[in-house]
Amino acid sequence: MSDDLQRRPNPSGWTPPKAPYNPYDPADARPPEGYPSEFKVPGAAPLGISSIPRDPTQYKKVNETMKRLNYTPRPKLAKYPGQYMVLRKVDTNQRLNTGTRMFGALISVSIIGYFTFFYRWQDGSETVMSEFYRQRLQWQERFFGLTDQEYQDLYHPKGAQTTLKSVRDVDFVHQDATKENQFVLARPSERHVLEAQRLQQEEEERTLRALDEHREFAKQFMEPEQKKKRFWFF
């Protein structure tokens, strides 16, 4: 039993390993980065201004030492000296990963395309996406035709929904007190907004009356529709 506990003899030609950068060996040149014992112990970055850096773990110490020694566990290439072997990463779920990426790309492109070319933003008012929406309507008109609403959106689009905020009449600053130019304009008062709305309403009423007169005039030249008989006794 005592023979089993004794250390086995070294094989022939075996030499004791040489420690890297032995400071007691005169033949060993000191590296420019210093010996591993001289390396500064890495510390974790503090989380805040007043926090204290945490003590590094054993893994961080070894990792920092390996980086400074320029050590890599990868085997060297025999064909190309000075280069190391690169392990190929095997994708065990290639079909699943490929299908997931393709499905995600399809969903993303579909959502972006729908909200860019098909969605009617702000009830047809002028927005950033209106040009793409009208371009799609032009293609649709060429091949399939348009509905009444789509025709209005294409050829008679609505303006941008802008709201004009007025100030009270007592707070209105007269034009003589503040000089206006193309960069500085005074905010209109309530009576100015009411007058603009009155003029707009009168213009709309004139347009509707002219449209009614045109319809009445067109009825004179339109033939009355005759109900077709489906059977001889009806």
Coordinates of all heavy atoms in Angstrom, one line a residue, residues 115-117 119-122 124-138 153-154 157-160:
F115 N -49.5 50.0 -42.7 CA -49.7 51.4 -42.1 C -49.1 52.4 -43.0 O -49.3 53.6 -42.8 CB -49.0 51.4 -40.7 CG -49.8 50.8 -39.7 CD1 -49.5 49.5 -39.2 CD2 -51.0 51.4 -39.2 CE1 -50.2 48.9 -38.2 CE2 -51.7 50.8 -38.2 CZ -51.4 49.5 -37.7
T116 N -48.3 52.1 -44.0 CA -47.7 53.0 -45.0 C -48.6 53.3 -46.2 O -48.8 54.4 -46.6 CB -46.3 52.6 -45.4 OG1 -45.5 52.4 -44.3 CG2 -45.7 53.6 -46.3
F117 N -49.1 52.2 -46.8 CA -49.9 52.3 -48.0 C -51.4 52.1 -47.9 O -52.1 52.5 -48.8 CB -49.3 51.3 -49.0 CG -47.9 51.5 -49.4 CD1 -46.8 50.8 -48.8 CD2 -47.6 52.5 -50.4 CE1 -45.5 51.0 -49.2 CE2 -46.3 52.7 -50.8 CZ -45.2 52.0 -50.2
Y119 N -53.4 52.1 -44.6 CA -54.1 52.7 -43.5 C -54.5 54.2 -43.9 O -53.7 54.9 -44.4 CB -53.3 52.7 -42.2 CG -54.1 53.1 -41.0 CD1 -55.0 52.2 -40.5 CD2 -53.9 54.3 -40.4 CE1 -55.7 52.6 -39.3 CE2 -54.6 54.7 -39.3 CZ -55.5 53.8 -38.8 OH -56.2 54.2 -37.6
R120 N -55.7 54.6 -43.5 CA -56.2 55.9 -43.8 C -56.0 56.8 -42.5 O -56.8 56.8 -41.6 CB -57.7 55.9 -44.2 CG -58.2 57.2 -44.8 CD -59.6 56.9 -45.4 NE -60.2 58.1 -46.0 CZ -61.1 58.8 -45.4 NH1 -61.6 58.4 -44.2 NH2 -61.6 59.9 -45.9
W121 N -54.9 57.5 -42.5 CA -54.6 58.3 -41.3 C -55.4 59.5 -41.1 O -55.7 60.2 -42.1 CB -53.1 58.7 -41.3 CG -52.1 57.5 -41.3 CD1 -51.6 56.9 -42.3 CD2 -51.6 56.9 -40.1 NE1 -50.8 55.9 -41.9 CE2 -50.8 55.9 -40.5 CE3 -51.8 57.2 -38.7 CZ2 -50.1 55.1 -39.6 CZ3 -51.1 56.4 -37.8 CH2 -50.3 55.3 -38.3
Q122 N -55.9 59.8 -39.9 CA -56.7 61.0 -39.5 C -57.8 61.2 -40.5 O -58.0 62.4 -40.9 CB -55.7 62.2 -39.5 CG -54.7 62.1 -38.4 CD -53.9 63.4 -38.3 OE1 -54.1 64.4 -39.0 NE2 -52.9 63.4 -37.4
G124 N -58.4 60.7 -43.6 CA -58.1 61.2 -44.9 C -57.4 62.6 -44.9 O -57.2 63.1 -46.0
S125 N -57.1 63.2 -43.8 CA -56.5 64.5 -43.7 C -55.0 64.4 -44.2 O -54.4 63.3 -44.2 CB -56.6 65.1 -42.4 OG -57.9 65.2 -42.0
E126 N -54.4 65.5 -44.5 CA -53.1 65.5 -45.0 C -52.1 65.2 -43.9 O -52.1 65.9 -42.8 CB -52.7 66.9 -45.6 CG -51.4 67.0 -46.3 CD -51.4 66.2 -47.6 OE1 -52.5 65.9 -48.1 OE2 -50.3 65.8 -48.1
T127 N -51.3 64.2 -44.0 CA -50.3 63.8 -43.1 C -49.0 63.5 -43.8 O -48.9 63.6 -45.0 CB -50.7 62.6 -42.2 OG1 -51.0 61.5 -43.1 CG2 -52.0 62.9 -41.4
V128 N -48.0 63.0 -43.1 CA -46.7 62.6 -43.7 C -46.9 61.4 -44.6 O -46.2 61.2 -45.6 CB -45.7 62.3 -42.6 CG1 -44.4 61.9 -43.2 CG2 -45.5 63.5 -41.7
M129 N -47.9 60.5 -44.2 CA -48.1 59.2 -45.0 C -49.1 59.4 -46.1 O -49.4 58.4 -46.8 CB -48.6 58.1 -44.0 CG -47.8 58.0 -42.7 SD -46.1 57.7 -42.9 CE -46.1 56.0 -43.6
S130 N -49.5 60.6 -46.4 CA -50.6 60.8 -47.4 C -50.0 60.5 -48.8 O -50.7 60.0 -49.7 CB -51.1 62.2 -47.4 OG -51.8 62.4 -46.1
E131 N -48.8 60.8 -49.1 CA -48.2 60.6 -50.4 C -48.1 59.1 -50.7 O -48.4 58.7 -51.8 CB -46.8 61.2 -50.5 CG -46.8 62.7 -50.5 CD -47.4 63.3 -51.7 OE1 -47.5 62.7 -52.8 OE2 -48.0 64.5 -51.6
F132 N -47.7 58.3 -49.8 CA -47.7 56.8 -50.0 C -49.1 56.3 -50.2 O -49.4 55.4 -51.0 CB -47.0 56.2 -48.8 CG -45.6 56.6 -48.5 CD1 -45.4 57.6 -47.5 CD2 -44.6 56.2 -49.3 CE1 -44.1 58.0 -47.3 CE2 -43.3 56.6 -49.1 CZ -43.1 57.5 -48.0
Y133 N -50.1 56.8 -49.4 CA -51.5 56.4 -49.5 C -52.1 56.7 -50.9 O -52.7 55.9 -51.5 CB -52.3 57.0 -48.4 CG -53.8 56.7 -48.4 CD1 -54.2 55.4 -48.1 CD2 -54.7 57.6 -48.8 CE1 -55.5 55.0 -48.1 CE2 -56.1 57.3 -48.8 CZ -56.5 56.0 -48.4 OH -57.8 55.7 -48.4
R134 N -51.8 57.9 -51.4 CA -52.3 58.3 -52.7 C -51.6 57.5 -53.8 O -52.2 57.2 -54.9 CB -52.1 59.8 -52.9 CG -53.1 60.6 -52.1 CD -53.2 62.0 -52.6 NE -52.0 62.8 -52.2 CZ -51.9 63.5 -51.1 NH1 -53.0 63.6 -50.3 NH2 -50.8 64.1 -50.7
Q135 N -50.3 57.2 -53.6 CA -49.6 56.4 -54.6 C -50.2 55.0 -54.7 O -50.4 54.5 -55.8 CB -48.1 56.2 -54.2 CG -47.3 55.5 -55.2 CD -47.2 56.2 -56.6 OE1 -47.2 57.4 -56.6 NE2 -47.0 55.5 -57.7
R136 N -50.6 54.4 -53.6 CA -51.3 53.1 -53.7 C -52.7 53.2 -54.3 O -53.1 52.3 -55.1 CB -51.4 52.6 -52.2 CG -51.8 51.1 -52.1 CD -53.2 50.8 -52.0 NE -53.8 51.5 -50.9 CZ -55.1 51.5 -50.7 NH1 -56.0 50.9 -51.5 NH2 -55.6 52.2 -49.6
L137 N -53.4 54.4 -54.1 CA -54.7 54.6 -54.7 C -54.5 54.7 -56.3 O -55.4 54.2 -57.0 CB -55.4 55.8 -54.2 CG -55.8 55.7 -52.7 CD1 -56.5 57.0 -52.3 CD2 -56.8 54.6 -52.5
Q138 N -53.4 55.3 -56.7 CA -53.2 55.4 -58.2 C -53.0 54.0 -58.8 O -53.6 53.7 -59.8 CB -52.0 56.3 -58.4 CG -52.2 57.7 -58.1 CD -51.0 58.6 -58.4 OE1 -50.0 58.1 -58.8 NE2 -51.1 59.9 -58.1
D153 N -60.3 60.9 -51.7 CA -59.0 61.0 -51.1 C -57.8 61.2 -52.1 O -56.8 61.8 -51.8 CB -58.7 59.8 -50.3 CG -59.6 59.6 -49.1 OD1 -60.2 60.7 -48.7 OD2 -59.7 58.5 -48.5
L154 N -58.1 60.7 -53.3 CA -57.0 60.8 -54.3 C -57.0 62.1 -55.1 O -56.0 62.7 -55.2 CB -57.2 59.6 -55.3 CG -56.2 59.6 -56.5 CD1 -54.7 59.5 -56.0 CD2 -56.5 58.4 -57.4
P157 N -58.1 65.7 -51.8 CA -57.7 65.4 -50.4 C -58.0 66.5 -49.5 O -58.1 67.7 -49.9 CB -56.2 65.2 -50.6 CG -55.8 66.0 -51.8 CD -57.0 66.0 -52.7
K158 N -58.2 66.2 -48.2 CA -58.4 67.2 -47.2 C -57.1 67.8 -46.8 O -56.1 67.3 -46.9 CB -59.1 66.5 -46.0 CG -60.4 65.9 -46.2 CD -61.0 65.2 -45.0 CE -62.3 64.5 -45.2 NZ -62.8 63.9 -44.0
G159 N -57.3 69.0 -46.3 CA -56.1 69.7 -45.8 C -55.7 69.2 -44.5 O -56.3 68.4 -43.8
A160 N -54.5 69.7 -44.0 CA -54.0 69.3 -42.7 C -54.9 69.9 -41.6 O -55.4 71.0 -41.7 CB -52.6 69.8 -42.5

